[in-house]
Amino acid sequence: MSVMWKEKSIKIFFTGAATTSIVVVGLIFLFLGKEAAPFLFSENIVKLFGTEWVPVSFEKEQFGMLPLITGSFLVTFLAILFAVPFGVLSAVYLSEIANKTEQEMLKPLIELLAGIPSVVIGFFGIIALSPILKNTFGLESGLNALNGAILLALMATPTIITISDDAIRSVPSSYKQASIALGGSKLQTIWRVVVPDALSGIIAAVMLGIGRVIGETMTVLMVTGNAAIITASPFDSVRTMTATIAAEMGEVAFGSDHYRVLFCVGIILLLITFGLNMIAQKVLRRRSV
Amino acid sequence: MSSDTLNNEPAIKTHINSDAGCGQDNTTNNTKISVRDLNFFYGTRQVLFDISLNIYDKKVTAFIGPSGCGKSTFLRTLNRMNDIIEGTRHNGEILIDSKDIYGEKVNLVQLRKKVGMVFQRSNPFPKSIFENVAYGPRIHGIKNKGELENIVEKSLKNAGLWAEVKDRLTSNALALSGGQQQRLCIARALAIDPEILLMDEPASALDPKSTTRVEDLISELKENYTIVIVTHSMQQAARVSDYTAFFYEGDLVEFDVTKKIFTMPAKKQTEDYITGRFG
């Protein structure tokens, strides 16, 4: 009898541990929704579609989320523009071209890059990258979208490399042999056989990379200049959704419109990352079938 | 290994034996591939010992022997597929059309265009049937659609697959049956117009019916190609080949006209293997 109880309690324990994370995700959604709801379901909701973000003002507060969304997208887009070619080429090199010693040296280094705290990378952006950008492009300030994008690219690269590398490694060697036996060069084999077969894995890697970039907060808060303007220029300062929440949440009046709008921003952010992860998982799963 | 002395003789004797009324065709045998004193190593482990033999033009030569005897490794030296394995090295020479394929100026792409290969497990690309066959010509620079279509059709016809797939060239090759996939791989190898076709146990993963088709195909193909086939099945070697080489633990024990190997082997070891006493 006691054995049965033991079995049962262990089962409950493990089930509990496994469900906790799901419950937490659910609770986060619930909590965000609860705080945002009073604003979302009032006539004030139209304010969210404005083009100006002036949350604290003596005259008229503006809660237009557009500058924040475009700011996030600009930084993310630029970061992906740098990170994808860099990451995918690195993965190809690592899995197909590098010899054993190089692999053993590079892999831990890449993983190390993933482990650098974002505040350290932001610090690097302010101290090292910002002056370089400022001088190279003759700008007034080196704290802009480009700075953030470069650093975020750096942070997304390990994710992209590691997952692409896995995908490329799982391409059956028989495909490569067939290509080489037909007189294909190493490069032809890589571009015509290996990469196309690993493509779904590479796409998933990119998706997860984007998820990492769009959700990153500290670095962009430190280096993008935090000007809530709508712009397409990489040399302008921008304010991302994440940076906005991080910078303003601490000082906002509890229960105010501003407070509730920040939760709306959070919901949008969560939906985007959630969606990206879902797509990535779907693409990855389709590959394994 | 004790058999250094064994290797060299049979290869040279072959000419004489083949004319000695063994029922082979009477056309003269032109040497297509000539291997001299080949030793091959994986790292420090030697897997081939002083192999010397001649492979004749437009004949089928079978390599037989128990697993791990080096026959597949030897096959893969003929198009230098072993090059992609790290830590392999060799000495001795392999001449194809009197040119050393391990020579300094050898163009690997040209070599492999000349020496096609079919693998043990069919390995079509996860692409359409058309794209599988067109892959080789494409990487060798043929872009013209009409030309590619001609090559694909001709290759599939030569591989005896055209009638079965002509209406679904765009469907995925992986949807074909195992036997069809293997014939597709043969078609893919033929598409680059090789002179020599290496086959590494091409029928070992196939059902008997598909095996028969592949064997018939080999007999047809030898009209135009020099074929080297590694096989586990002695019946297969006896059915399809003109010459047979018996390998054992990295040594070439005996090489001769197939009929002679299977009726009057010169070596006791060969006889024991063929009669199923070991292996």
Side-chain angles (χ1 to χ4, degrees), chain A residues 85-112 157-170 176 186 190-191 194-195, chain B residues 86:
Chain A
F86 189 64
V88 173
L89 291 177
S90 303
V92 167
Y93 178 79
L94 203 61
S95 49
E96 290 294 314
I97 300 167
N99 61 36
K100 272 234 162 64
T101 342
E102 288 173 314
Q103 285 180 15
E104 278 164 16
M105 236 168 57
L106 284 173
K107 271 223 145 179
L109 283 176
I110 289 165
E111 276 149 26
L112 192 74
T157 306
T159 310
I160 296 177
I161 293 179
T162 312
I163 296 170
S164 300
D165 181 56
D166 286 346
I168 292 168
R169 264 172 223 282
S170 69
K176 292 179 232 170
K186 188 132 198 170
I190 288 171
W191 289 122
V194 176
V195 170
Chain B
E86 267 181 66

Side-chain angles (χ1 to χ4, degrees), chain B residues 232-264:
Chain B
H232 253 107
S233 151
M234 280 168 287
Q235 289 80 2
Q236 188 170 65
R239 280 191 300 261
V240 302
S241 71
D242 303 306
Y243 292 89
T244 297
F246 171 55
F247 288 82
Y248 186 67
E249 294 190 342
D251 290 315
L252 173 58
V253 178
E254 190 167 352
F255 175 61
D256 214 323
V257 174
T258 298
K259 212 165 223 173
K260 178 144 187 306
I261 290 267
F262 283 93
T263 50
M264 306 175 279

Side-chain angles (χ1 to χ4, degrees), chain A residues 174 179-180 182 188 192, chain B residues 112 119 123 127 135 139-140:
Chain A
S174 65
S179 170
I180 288 166
L182 287 166
Q188 284 172 326
R192 290 171 189 247
Chain B
R112 287 172 185 151
F119 294 83
N123 55 354
K127 301 172 187 277
Y135 182 85
I139 60 175
H140 293 294

Side-chain angles (χ1 to χ4, degrees), chain B residues 40 42 47-48 70-78 82 200:
Chain B
F40 192 85
Y42 288 119
V47 289
L48 292 174
K71 57 192 191 297
S72 283
T73 301
F74 181 46
L75 188 79
R76 292 163 62 95
T77 60
L78 301 178
N82 288 321
D200 190 355

Side-chain angles (χ1 to χ4, degrees), chain B residues 52-71:
Chain B
S52 294
L53 87 166
N54 288 335
I55 290 167
Y56 300 108
D57 194 22
K58 302 206 167 66
K59 296 278 184 261
V60 179
T61 303
F63 295 168
I64 61 170
S67 298
C69 67
K71 57 192 191 297

